[in-house]
Amino acid sequence: MDAFEVLSGGTLSGAVCASGAKNSALKLLAASLLAEGCTTIRNVPAIADLDAMGRVLAHLGVDVGRDGDVVSCDVPAEIGCDTPASLVTRLRASIVVLGPLVSRCGHARVAQPGGCNLGNRGIDLHLWGLAQLGAEITLEDEAVVARAPQGGRLRGTELELPYASVGATENLLMAAVTATGTTRILNPAREPEIVDLAGMLSQMGARVAGAGSDEIVIDGVDALEPVDHTVVGDRIEAGTYAVAGALAGGEITVEGVEPAHLALVLDKLADAGAAVTLGDRSVTVAGAPLRAVDVVTLPFPGFPTDLQAAFLVLLSQAQGTSMLTENVFDGRFRVVDQLVAMGADVSVEAHHAIVRGPCRLEGARVAAPDLRAGAALVLAGLVADGPTVVTQAHHIERGYADLPGKLAALGAGVRRLGAVEAPPAPTGV
Ligand code: UD1
């Protein structure tokens, strides 16, 4: 059985700690490939996507180990440069090994990535940027092959991204750190996870300036050193618990997150009526009668698409009509059918969802269509009448460390039905 059972009723209260950010830790593991020797990464969440990235690195020859939330990546002098489809098709983020591998080996072959099925998720910007840096790009047997120019090093240049893609920014940043000369990435993604990656690369000896702003400047260096780095807190996981607080609080304090990384989300929660208090590295959210707000997803510092589904649930309990506009991914309203089956009044027109509330949700058997939508269905179950069973819980476990346990500690009746599948060999990460 691959499901979470959610019992409704009662307020939630207490403190919960966000894990390290999935979307940062995945890229930091990839960045470890850039330096021979043992890189230590702390605050790594215990989630399936990190297991998958650990297996990709192990396949490339890295000795990957985990002790609690500390992951060590012992990178040999010679690493593999070929990642097979069997390892990468379930993890879209695995495409970010492309940049480090071209940087380190001069060539790489990476199968086309998988991950959440969120409509059109191209990698054209990754490939365009690598080509601008001098790589020859070909597609062979559904794999991307990239070769640096003769001499094995990419050449720094100006890269103006037409869209601030998170993955493309990360890949190009990691490719450029050992390129000759200077690379400027204009209109890069500005997410906190990019800043975290740039911070680790700088620790490793890279010369990177401007991460988090509208221009990243990279002066290429010959080689990088292994480091000890701590992953930034997961703003999306933290935001999910903040929404739980607004829906079913009580009062929930979420620790281990920078409130500034959630600024717009917390503003929207306050606009919707929740009481929000900022701490040093925590936020406290208390439930209150909710009112409608409009939400528009955009790249950071805009409202994160990864919290769009959780807000759909929140707004289904708010007085009035809200409009939620999705600008980042198409195919990201697949949770709507499941919420409507629970009694929500939501209709979708193009990339807008119209939510009329408040409505009474009924517990039901629903299926998690993807990671964030799955977590949103668990939130819906918390305020529904009667038990809810969210099947396909493996989607949720890709990105949330022990969601049932953390919610149960806040007073919720949430449990996993059946055992968690052990990750396949060869690594415990
Ligand atoms: C990352 C996050 C994901 C988050 C998203 C936006 C990870 C592992 N995942 O995904 O959780 O929702 O950022 O904050 O970090 N696009 C192209 N061509 C490209 C690259 C992107 O068309 O070469 C499009 C995508 O199809 C999508 C949009 O740009 O519609 C956003 O993609 P991007 O910012 O690259 O997100 P990811 O890195 O895939």
Side-chain angles (χ1 to χ4, degrees), residues 22-23 26-27 92-93 118 120-126 163-168 170 191 235 305-306 328-330 332 372:
K22 166 180 97 73
N23 288 350
L26 286 167
K27 323 309 168 54
R92 176 179 164 81
L118 299 177
N120 173 23
R121 296 187 80 170
I123 54 167
D124 51 313
L125 299 178
H126 303 232
Y163 178 82
S165 154
V166 171
E170 292 163 338
E191 270 69 1
R235 66 196 162 98
T305 176
D306 286 348
V328 179
F329 289 107
D330 47 12
R332 208 162 202 190
R372 305 301 173 187

Side-chain angles (χ1 to χ4, degrees), residues 375-391:
L377 290 172
V378 172
L379 296 181
L382 294 174
V383 291
D385 289 340
T388 293
V389 172
V390 183
T391 64

Side-chain angles (χ1 to χ4, degrees), residues 106-139:
H107 62 281
R109 187 177 191 284
V110 178
Q112 297 264 19
C116 270
N117 177 18
L118 299 177
N120 173 23
R121 296 187 80 170
I123 54 167
D124 51 313
L125 299 178
H126 303 232
L127 305 185
W128 167 82
L130 285 171
Q132 296 299 304
L133 290 166
E136 182 198 347
I137 307 287
T138 49
L139 295 179

Side-chain angles (χ1 to χ4, degrees), residues 138-299:
T138 49
L139 295 179
E140 295 173 10
D141 301 331
E142 300 195 8
V144 175
V145 178
R147 286 185 190 82
Q150 214 149 27
R153 276 181 88 170
L154 297 170
R155 295 185 299 259
T157 188
E158 186 169 294
L159 302 170
E160 181 160 7
L161 293 178
Y163 178 82
S165 154
V166 171
T169 302
E170 292 163 338
N171 235 338
L172 298 176
L173 175 55
M174 288 190 275
V177 285
T178 59
T180 55
T182 299
T183 301
R184 293 177 188 278
I185 307 180
L186 307 179
N187 191 32
R190 291 185 274 168
E191 270 69 1
E193 295 76 26
I194 304 276
V195 177
D196 200 20
L197 173 61
M200 175 164 144
L201 293 170
S202 297
Q203 265 182 286
M204 294 172 84
R207 296 182 58 202
V208 181
S213 77
D214 57 7
E215 180 176 349
I216 301 178
V217 182
I218 305 138
D219 285 319
V221 297
D222 290 342
L224 301 185
E225 298 290 328
V227 289
D228 188 320
H229 184 85
T230 300
V231 182
V232 68
D234 195 319
R235 66 196 162 98
I236 304 301
E237 185 197 16
T240 305
Y241 292 114
V243 171
L247 267 175
E251 193 175 87
I252 294 180
T253 297
V254 191
E255 295 163 349
V257 66
E258 294 294 338
H261 296 170
L262 278 171
L264 195 49
V265 173
L266 298 175
D267 282 354
K268 288 291 175 187
L269 283 175
D271 288 350
V276 177
T277 314
L278 306 189
D280 182 17
R281 287 198 66 239
S282 69
V283 296
T284 299
V285 177
L290 295 168
R291 53 181 176 262
V293 293
D294 291 339
V295 172
V296 177
T297 69
L298 282 170

